Amino acid sequence: FALLISSALTGLLAVLGMLNVFHLPFTFAQSNGFNTIGTINGLASYLSFMMFVGLALWLVSQQGRDRIIPLGGVGMFMRGLIIAITVMNLITLLAIDYWIFWVINIVGVLLLGGFVFIQSQEFPNPRRFALPLVVLFVSILLLFLPSPLRLSLPVVVSPSHATSWQITKTTLGVNTKQLLVGSGPGTFLYDFLAYKPATVNASQFWSLRFDRAKSDLMTTVTHLGVLGGLLWLVLINHRPLYPNLN
C-alpha cells in the first residue's frame, strides 16, 4: 500500500512538472524534467516497473481471506492508485516517445497474458485484463506512430558502450590493485576525464562530464574492480537461506 502511494506521488509530481502545472518550491525543482527518481529515462523505467507490479496485484487478487487487494474502500483506493500509476506512466512515455519503453510495455503485457493461460487458476477474473489490454493497445499504436505530446524535456545523454568499455578497460589496466578493487566508489567522473577517447574532444560533447558508464555493470566494475563486480553479482542474485521462515 505504501509502495503504491509513494509511486503515485512520484508520478504525479513528475507529470505536473512536465506539463508546467506545478513545481515543488525549490530552485532545483523548477525544471520541467525534475523528478524524485533521477533522469527522465530512470523515471520511465521506475513507473513502468511499478505499473506492472500494480497490474499483477490487480489480476491475481482473489476472493477470500488471502486477497492481495482487500475489499471495501481500501481496495478501491488501491485500484485507483494502480490506475493512476498506469496513466502517469503512459503520459511519461508519451512525453519521452522512446521505442524501447513501448517494447518493454508490450513484452510485459504479453508475459502477464502468458501467465493467464499457463496458470489460469491464479487469475480468477479475466475481465480484469482490460487495463493491461489498454496498455498493450497504446504501446503498439505509439510504437509505430509519433507521439501527440510534445514537451521540451531534458535530453538524456550517456557515453556509448564502446567509450564506456574503453574507459573501464583502461582504468582496470592501470595496475593489479585497480584490476581487483577498481578506482573507488563514485570515481567514474575522474576516470572519464583521464581516459576518454580523443574523438570525444572533437564532438559536440567535448565539454560534458559523465559520472557513470552506459550500463550499471560497467560503472560498478570501474568502481569496484573485477573482484567487487563479481561480489556485486553474487549479492544481487543471493536468495535467503530460510525463505519460509516467518
Side-chain angles (χ1 to χ4, degrees), residues 63-112:
Q63 298 288 341
R65 298 175 59 185
D66 60 343
R67 288 181 61 92
I68 297 178
I69 298 180
L71 296 171
V74 175
M76 293 181 62
F77 185 55
M78 290 183 69
R79 290 188 179 87
L81 290 174
I82 294 171
I83 294 174
I85 293 171
T86 301
V87 171
M88 287 181 287
N89 178 52
L90 292 178
I91 293 175
T92 302
L93 297 188
L94 282 169
I96 298 175
D97 196 22
Y98 189 24
W99 67 270
I100 288 181
F101 290 117
W102 297 124
V103 172
I104 291 174
N105 275 5
I106 294 170
V107 173
V109 174
L110 293 179
L111 284 175
L112 287 177

Side-chain angles (χ1 to χ4, degrees), residues 6 10 25 28 48 65 72 81-82 89 102 105 114 123 127 132 135 144 147 149 155 157 179 208 211 231 245:
S6 61
T10 296
F28 60 82
S48 294
R65 298 175 59 185
L81 290 174
I82 294 171
N89 178 52
W102 297 124
N105 275 5
F123 299 86
R127 290 179 298 177
V135 174
F144 300 100
S147 171
L149 187 61
V155 178
V157 181
L179 175 65
L208 295 183
D211 63 350
L231 291 176
L245 184 63

Side-chain angles (χ1 to χ4, degrees), residues 155-194:
V155 178
V156 179
V157 181
S158 63
S160 66
H161 284 99
T163 299
S164 299
W165 171 241
Q166 181 175 337
I167 294 171
T168 300
K169 184 173 60 175
T170 307
T171 301
L172 297 181
V174 171
N175 52 52
T176 304
K177 180 182 177 181
Q178 283 199 186
L179 175 65
L180 294 177
V181 298
S183 59
T187 57
F188 188 87
L189 172 63
Y190 305 105
D191 298 328
F192 174 80
L193 293 176

Side-chain angles (χ1 to χ4, degrees), residues 166 195-203:
Q166 181 175 337
Y195 307 122
K196 64 180 179 179
T199 53
V200 174
N201 294 328
S203 69

